[in-house]
Amino acid sequence: MKSTGIVRKVDELGRVVIPIELRRTLGIAEKDALEIYVDDERIILKKYKPSMTCQITGEVSDDNIKLADGKLILSREGAEQLIKEIQDSFQKN
């Protein structure tokens, strides 16, 4: 785990401000949902991605398909991009 050296206090309502530099670096925009995990005494925040998010394009849709026993979720565009990359990779060899 990498330390940022940034320290923030919890306010009276239990809120903590995530510095803009970190939000920009991690691609967290205003109104984005964060998922909260607990690991021993650690609180882990992770940008929330709904379960049907294409892992290539980031598109969220119920039309996306699950492959590899649900380990890979792709939109049509994501699948096309992946197929092209795989074909290009094999053509180089």
Side-chain angles (χ1 to χ4, degrees):
M1 189 175 314
K2 185 176 171 184
S3 175
T4 63
I6 299 169
V7 176
R8 292 289 189 257
K9 292 187 178 186
V10 178
D11 73 8
E12 61 277 354
L13 296 176
R15 298 176 296 197
V16 177
V17 174
I18 302 170
I20 189 74
E21 302 83 18
L22 288 178
R23 288 184 276 139
R24 284 183 182 146
T25 300
L26 299 173
I28 299 171
E30 188 175 312
K31 307 277 185 190
D32 278 352
L34 297 178
E35 202 164 358
I36 302 170
Y37 297 90
V38 176
D39 181 20
D40 293 324
E41 293 186 6
R42 296 180 187 149
I43 298 171
I44 300 167
L45 301 176
K46 181 179 176 185
K47 188 172 177 179
Y48 175 71
K49 291 189 177 187
S51 61
M52 289 304 286
T53 301
C54 175
Q55 292 171 298
I56 305 294
T57 65
E59 176 187 342
V60 179
S61 172
D62 289 334
D63 294 333
N64 291 349
I65 57 172
K66 289 183 179 182
L67 302 168
D69 292 327
K71 296 175 190 156
L72 180 63
I73 298 172
L74 297 174
S75 64
R76 180 174 189 80
E77 295 79 17
E80 290 170 356
Q81 184 178 341
L82 184 60
I83 290 168
K84 183 178 181 330
E85 286 185 31
I86 290 170
Q87 288 173 338
D88 290 348
S89 176
F90 282 111
Q91 288 176 355
K92 290 178 184 176
N93 295 330

